[in-house]
Amino acid sequence: MFSPSQEEHCGPTKDPIKYGELVVLGYNGSLPNGDRGRRKSRFALYKRSKANGVKPSTVHILNTPQASKAVNCKVQHSISYTLSRNQTVVVEYCHDKDTDMFQIGRSTESPIDFVVTDTVSGSQEGEETPITQSTISRFACRVVCERVLPYTARIYAAGFDSSKNIFLGEKAAKWKNPDGHMDGLTTNGVLVMHPRGGFTEESKPGVWREISVCGDVYTLRETRSAQTRGKLVECESNVLQDGSLVDLCGATLLWRTADGLFHTPTQKHLEALRQEINAARPQCPVGLNTLAFPSMQRSRALSSLEDKQPWVYLACGHVHGYHNWGHRSEQEPNAQRECPMCRTVGPYVPLWLGCEPAFYVDVGAPTHAFVPCGHVCSEKSAKYWAEIPLPHGTHAFHAACPFCATQLSLTQGYAKLIFQGPID
């Protein structure tokens, strides 16, 4: 857990109220090169010492670009909807003493509280892979939390820039609602999925929706950046619940409420489970050498493999130490290996513990591994994530390992691990 002092622009240091946390999928407890400042794998939202929320107030209809610029030079926040070269609607926002606002995006400018960059699946080898062209918006979205119980958190597409403006140009999807207020969508959109039944072992995937700039809920567009919006879903809202997923087209965030986090395993609990497995002295059934899961720190970094590192035949689940026989392919030596125990042929990979507690739906023992990456977690957590379709590219969805973002096998998303105990 993060201490309040590690959070930027957040509330008082004396017993701060935590609204919740946003955790980036694809990272095993920290960024590959470590968390730095506003760029990290998880961000805790605390009640601010002074409210910074805003709410709509005055609407201006402007017929010249110069007039639009004049309005936007004022100190308050505003959203500009460019309808044509000669007409812009500017909605001014005034201070809201009842809410706190937190902004998320790729930009490192000061209005962004949580800097998020594109997640590259399976690339957590200690080095961050540079992205040639990011699809995440510089000012992607904003989360607005009510300052009084029950501290409701709502999500909105787009964030205010350094000039306190959100600008939707001519090509952006925008419209006037029947009640007269303007609304729109960002280029690649902000998608949200609320799981049915919260974030528990009984939860089931919800339906992915798109959130508008004003917080309304829509069905997905035909493609991610299509200019025609989906249909309004009036029975759903932009209120985040424990386990809600927010996709920014390049990175997916998991929202955990303060209460939800209270019921998740802690780092100490996961470390105790690791030590418990190692204390049982699991053995390689062939080499008869004792196996041991690496420390949590080494697991987070996916550093060099250790001598006692457990490996698994994913097709059958038998856990071994590393050995160099049973190859079925010269090109990819570990893609097709024959298990010495049962002769099943399949991928042979090292096992790494899942170190990010927020991704666990229960406090069960780490008994299952995701296929094909080899990250280990509880059975119920493995089953949960194997059923969650995550956005990929412009219109594809697939399940992925939450600890490294590797796409899971379509035929077998996870495998039960079969350890052999010591013979003596």
Side-chain angles (χ1 to χ4, degrees):
M1 299 295 169
F2 289 105
S3 64
S5 60
Q6 288 175 281
E7 300 302 329
E8 272 66 32
H9 319 302
C10 290
T13 54
K14 185 182 179 183
D15 297 327
I17 293 168
K18 182 190 279 188
Y19 297 129
E21 291 191 20
L22 287 166
V23 189
V24 188
L25 297 190
Y27 298 106
N28 197 15
S30 66
L31 298 181
N33 289 338
D35 294 334
R36 299 187 299 274
R38 291 174 293 153
R39 180 140 197 267
K40 53 189 117 182
S41 66
R42 61 194 291 173
F43 175 70
L45 285 67
Y46 288 96
K47 185 176 182 179
R48 299 183 186 273
S49 55
K50 184 180 178 183
N52 73 330
V54 293
K55 56 186 177 183
S57 58
T58 315
V59 179
H60 303 268
I61 299 176
L62 310 169
N63 296 317
T64 65
Q66 289 76 16
S68 172
K69 193 174 182 180
V71 169
N72 292 338
C73 283
K74 293 185 178 180
V75 292
Q76 70 261 51
H77 294 74
S78 64
I79 301 182
S80 303
Y81 301 88
T82 303
L83 304 181
S84 68
R85 191 171 297 177
N86 298 318
Q87 189 176 54
T88 300
V89 176
V90 177
V91 181
E92 289 186 2
Y93 278 64
C94 62
H95 179 248
D96 182 1
K97 63 179 177 57
D98 298 320
T99 62
D100 287 335
M101 180 171 67
F102 304 87
Q103 301 209 136
I104 300 102
R106 179 170 48 88
S107 172
T108 55
E109 293 180 33
S110 58
I112 294 296
D113 297 286
F114 185 26
V115 179
V116 177
T117 54
D118 298 70
T119 302
V120 179
S121 63
S123 68
Q124 277 46 280
E125 302 292 337
E127 287 295 324
E128 294 178 46
T129 306
I131 301 293
T132 52
Q133 188 171 4
S134 176
T135 49
I136 300 174
S137 171
R138 295 175 65 243
F139 302 90
C141 67
R142 58 200 194 277
V143 174
V144 176
C145 302
E146 293 180 6
R147 290 171 60 85
V148 296
L149 285 169
Y151 306 122
T152 303
R154 292 180 170 85
I155 187 162
Y156 300 82
F160 294 97
D161 62 19
S162 297
S163 302
K164 299 184 177 180
N165 184 49
I166 292 172
F167 180 78
L168 295 177
E170 279 189 68
K171 292 183 178 180
K174 70 190 90 62
W175 60 90
K176 181 182 285 188
N177 282 311
D179 63 2
H181 83 264
M182 294 295 300
D183 203 351
L185 305 173
T186 53
T187 303
N188 288 327
V190 173
L191 309 187
V192 172
M193 190 273 280
H194 306 300
R196 288 179 285 133
F199 193 67
T200 68
E201 52 214 59
E202 277 82 36
S203 301
K204 295 296 178 185
V207 179
W208 281 97
R209 304 295 194 196
E210 180 160 12
I211 302 296
S212 72
V213 171
C214 293
D216 284 338
V217 182
Y218 289 85
T219 59
L220 302 187
R221 290 178 264 183
E222 283 194 16
T223 59
R224 195 73 191 241
S225 57
Q227 288 186 275
T228 305
R229 71 180 187 272
K231 294 180 180 178
L232 179 67
V233 185
E234 296 187 56
C235 60
E236 297 180 22
S237 79
N238 64 336
V239 173
L240 294 175
Q241 62 187 57
D242 194 35
S244 290
L245 290 169
V246 178
D247 187 79
L248 305 179
C249 195
T252 306
L253 314 179
L254 171 69
W255 169 256
R256 297 303 313 270
T257 62
D259 183 61
L261 288 167
F262 182 76
H263 294 94
T264 61
T266 61
Q267 285 283 355
K268 283 185 178 179
H269 180 79
L270 294 181
E271 173 62 17
L273 290 173
R274 181 187 79 87
Q275 292 182 10
E276 191 177 320
I277 292 176
N278 290 350
R281 295 171 54 217
Q283 286 191 341
C284 174
V286 177
L288 300 181
N289 52 311
T290 302
L291 307 176
F293 277 98
S295 69
M296 303 287 275
Q297 187 173 358
R298 290 181 70 86
S299 295
R300 277 195 289 270
L302 283 188
S303 49
S304 57
L305 295 167
E306 298 185 356
D307 291 340
K308 293 185 176 182
Q309 183 101 22
W311 284 63
V312 65
Y313 288 90
L314 288 171
C316 59
H318 283 116
V319 177
H320 291 248
Y322 183 74
H323 50 74
N324 210 9
W325 60 78
H327 294 283
R328 288 296 186 93
S329 168
E330 294 299 325
Q331 289 77 27
E332 298 180 78
N334 291 326
Q336 293 295 313
R337 296 279 293 268
E338 183 179 281
C339 174
M341 297 291 288
C342 64
R343 311 301 294 269
T344 304
V345 176
Y348 179 57
V349 299
L351 293 173
W352 298 97
L353 276 178
C355 301
E356 176 49 72
F359 297 152
Y360 283 76
V361 299
D362 67 343
V363 292
T367 56
H368 287 63
F370 287 109
V371 178
C373 61
H375 276 106
V376 180
C377 64
S378 67
E379 178 182 8
K380 289 175 180 177
S381 299
K383 284 183 177 179
Y384 179 82
W385 288 106
E387 291 181 1
I388 298 291
L390 298 172
H392 179 72
T394 55
H395 53 265
F397 290 83
H398 60 65
C401 170
F403 303 106
C404 68
T406 297
Q407 181 176 347
L408 299 184
S409 166
L410 295 175
T411 55
Q412 178 195 12
Y414 56 90
K416 181 180 180 180
L417 300 178
I418 303 171
F419 291 94
Q420 175 167 304
I423 291 175
D424 48 43

Short mmCIF file of all heavy atoms in Angstrom, two decimals, residues 35 134 194 263 282 316 322 407:
data_model
loop_
_atom_site.label_atom_id
_atom_site.label_comp_id
_atom_site.label_asym_id
_atom_site.label_seq_id
_atom_site.Cartn_x
_atom_site.Cartn_y
_atom_site.Cartn_z
N ASP A 35 8.72 2.43 -9.82
CA ASP A 35 7.74 3.52 -9.83
C ASP A 35 8.46 4.83 -9.57
O ASP A 35 9.30 4.92 -8.67
CB ASP A 35 6.68 3.27 -8.75
CG ASP A 35 5.83 2.04 -9.06
OD1 ASP A 35 5.72 1.70 -10.25
OD2 ASP A 35 5.29 1.44 -8.12
N SER A 134 1.91 6.30 -29.39
CA SER A 134 0.96 5.92 -28.36
C SER A 134 -0.47 6.17 -28.81
O SER A 134 -0.75 7.11 -29.56
CB SER A 134 1.23 6.72 -27.08
OG SER A 134 0.26 6.42 -26.10
N HIS A 194 -18.11 -2.85 -15.80
CA HIS A 194 -18.41 -3.13 -14.40
C HIS A 194 -18.71 -4.62 -14.26
O HIS A 194 -19.65 -5.12 -14.89
CB HIS A 194 -19.63 -2.33 -13.93
CG HIS A 194 -19.53 -0.86 -14.16
ND1 HIS A 194 -18.53 -0.08 -13.62
CD2 HIS A 194 -20.31 0.00 -14.88
CE1 HIS A 194 -18.70 1.18 -13.98
NE2 HIS A 194 -19.76 1.25 -14.76
N HIS A 263 -10.17 -6.12 1.91
CA HIS A 263 -10.42 -7.57 1.90
C HIS A 263 -9.47 -8.33 0.97
O HIS A 263 -9.61 -9.55 0.81
CB HIS A 263 -11.88 -7.85 1.49
CG HIS A 263 -12.89 -7.35 2.49
ND1 HIS A 263 -13.49 -6.12 2.38
CD2 HIS A 263 -13.36 -7.91 3.64
CE1 HIS A 263 -14.32 -5.95 3.40
NE2 HIS A 263 -14.26 -7.01 4.17
N PRO A 282 9.16 -28.46 -2.22
CA PRO A 282 8.78 -29.19 -3.44
C PRO A 282 10.02 -29.61 -4.21
O PRO A 282 11.03 -28.89 -4.21
CB PRO A 282 7.95 -28.15 -4.21
CG PRO A 282 8.42 -26.83 -3.71
CD PRO A 282 8.76 -27.03 -2.26
N CYS A 316 0.12 -30.13 -18.78
CA CYS A 316 -0.29 -31.09 -17.75
C CYS A 316 -0.21 -30.53 -16.34
O CYS A 316 -0.89 -31.01 -15.43
CB CYS A 316 0.55 -32.36 -17.83
SG CYS A 316 2.33 -32.07 -17.63
N TYR A 322 14.57 -26.80 -13.88
CA TYR A 322 14.92 -26.70 -15.30
C TYR A 322 15.79 -27.87 -15.72
O TYR A 322 16.73 -28.27 -15.02
CB TYR A 322 15.65 -25.39 -15.61
CG TYR A 322 15.94 -25.27 -17.09
CD1 TYR A 322 14.93 -24.96 -17.98
CD2 TYR A 322 17.22 -25.52 -17.59
CE1 TYR A 322 15.16 -24.90 -19.34
CE2 TYR A 322 17.47 -25.45 -18.95
CZ TYR A 322 16.43 -25.14 -19.82
OH TYR A 322 16.67 -25.07 -21.17
N GLN A 407 -1.55 -12.33 -23.71
CA GLN A 407 -2.82 -12.92 -24.10
C GLN A 407 -2.85 -14.39 -23.68
O GLN A 407 -1.91 -15.14 -23.91
CB GLN A 407 -3.02 -12.81 -25.61
CG GLN A 407 -4.34 -13.40 -26.09
CD GLN A 407 -4.57 -13.20 -27.57
OE1 GLN A 407 -3.87 -12.41 -28.21
NE2 GLN A 407 -5.54 -13.89 -28.12
#
